[in-house]
Amino acid sequence: MTARVRADLPTARRIVVKVGSSSISGTSSWRIPKLVYALAEAHGRGAEVLLVSSGAIATGMPFLGLDSRPTDLATQQAAAAVGQNILVYRYQEALRPFGIVAGQVLLTAGDLDDAVPRSNARRAIERLLGLRILPIVNENDTVATHEIRFGDNDRLAALVARLVGADALVLLSDVDSLYTKPPTEPGAERIDTIAFGQDLRDVEFGSTIVNSVGTGGASTKASAARLAAGAGIGVLVTSADLVAEALAGDEVGTWFEPADVANAALTGPVDTLAR
Ligand code: GLU
């Protein structure tokens, strides 16, 4: 059943958790076991957990001798090809003590816009979940061009949550919640809850960030959260460090109340819904 409030998270049946590149790559790769511990706990209570993880490019960078994110698409793709493999290996190693097997799912925006690949993807994910395998989703970077990139995995996570009719979506980054202005600025206040349809014009989320490892930021989180909330999915935005508290339903992060609609898995095209 849809998580309508934070306290519903511990009993949510199907949960999509998204984590950003900077939280789990480079000197932050130690966080993978911590994240996996919380996911395994939810899995252990019977929840169906899907992980959407960025970090392919960032994880691949050192293997290509790069210390910052490449700017050209071909080198980004090369770094992703190397890094995706290592990233999933790290997750699988962390999942092994819990007896959980990971399944890699790579999607493009085009796949979700198009009825046949969309239903193929949904069927495959449903089967993985039915087999108690933990799907790990990322953008299929080697075939994505600038024009058709999701742009950031926040949007991908919202679309996956809709695709599978998730009960909740948890967006994890390095920041504990959304703020009324960038948290480094004076007077920034934590936003506890955002009602569905609430006017956010006065909130300064800042522009989309392209930093040394990935892309995203508060604005992409807010639009992804609204995309999912509009389909009746409750969304929590918080930091990767607070994942256990988030899944336990504690008062952390920013909660986006879901629209009061039946939470049916997305069957129609998503492109018109998404932008
Ligand atoms: N799919 C990209 C990766 O895994 C997303 C990173 C980004 O552009 O934010 O590296």
Side-chain angles (χ1 to χ4, degrees), residues 151-231:
D152 61 81
N153 277 357
D154 297 322
R155 184 164 165 262
L156 170 63
L159 295 176
V160 167
R162 293 182 66 142
L163 182 73
V164 301
D167 298 320
L169 168 65
V170 179
L171 296 173
L172 303 171
S173 69
D174 295 337
V175 185
D176 67 321
S177 71
L178 296 181
Y179 286 79
T180 50
K181 46 173 99 168
T184 46
E185 288 183 19
E189 283 172 25
R190 172 177 169 253
I191 304 174
D192 182 78
T193 303
I194 294 180
F196 182 68
Q198 187 176 324
D199 187 349
L200 296 178
R201 265 178 303 187
D202 289 343
V203 179
E204 296 167 36
F205 286 128
S207 51
T208 302
I209 299 158
V210 182
N211 63 19
S212 59
V213 288
T215 51
S219 57
T220 64
K221 297 222 163 23
S223 36
R226 299 191 106 179
L227 180 59

Side-chain angles (χ1 to χ4, degrees), residues 98-118:
F98 302 98
I100 302 173
V101 174
Q104 174 178 268
V105 177
L106 299 178
L107 297 171
T108 62
D111 293 335
L112 295 183
D113 279 346
D114 201 337
V116 174
R118 183 172 65 241

Side-chain angles (χ1 to χ4, degrees), residues 114-127:
D114 201 337
V116 174
R118 183 172 65 241
S119 86
N120 280 335
R122 182 166 46 224
R123 189 178 48 227
I125 294 171
E126 288 290 349
R127 179 58 59 87

Side-chain angles (χ1 to χ4, degrees), residues 39-62:
L39 301 182
E41 209 165 58
H43 178 97
R45 67 153 170 87
E48 296 172 328
V49 182
L50 294 91
L51 176 65
V52 176
S53 179
S54 303
I57 297 172
T59 302
M61 277 166 16

Side-chain angles (χ1 to χ4, degrees), residues 67-153:
D67 50 20
S68 65
R69 185 182 163 95
T71 48
D72 69 292
L73 185 60
T75 313
Q76 287 173 5
Q77 290 172 320
V82 172
Q84 178 65 23
N85 172 41
I86 291 156
L87 186 61
V88 170
Y89 174 79
R90 288 178 182 166
Y91 279 121
Q92 183 59 70
E93 283 298 287
L95 286 163
R96 200 153 48 98
F98 302 98
I100 302 173
V101 174
Q104 174 178 268
V105 177
L106 299 178
L107 297 171
T108 62
D111 293 335
L112 295 183
D113 279 346
D114 201 337
V116 174
R118 183 172 65 241
S119 86
N120 280 335
R122 182 166 46 224
R123 189 178 48 227
I125 294 171
E126 288 290 349
R127 179 58 59 87
L128 288 168
L129 294 172
L131 292 166
R132 299 297 288 149
I133 290 168
L134 194 146
I136 301 182
V137 184
N138 195 358
E139 180 157 16
N140 191 352
D141 290 314
T142 48
V143 297
T145 63
H146 282 303
E147 293 72 37
I148 61 158
R149 272 180 67 81
F150 287 106
D152 61 81
N153 277 357

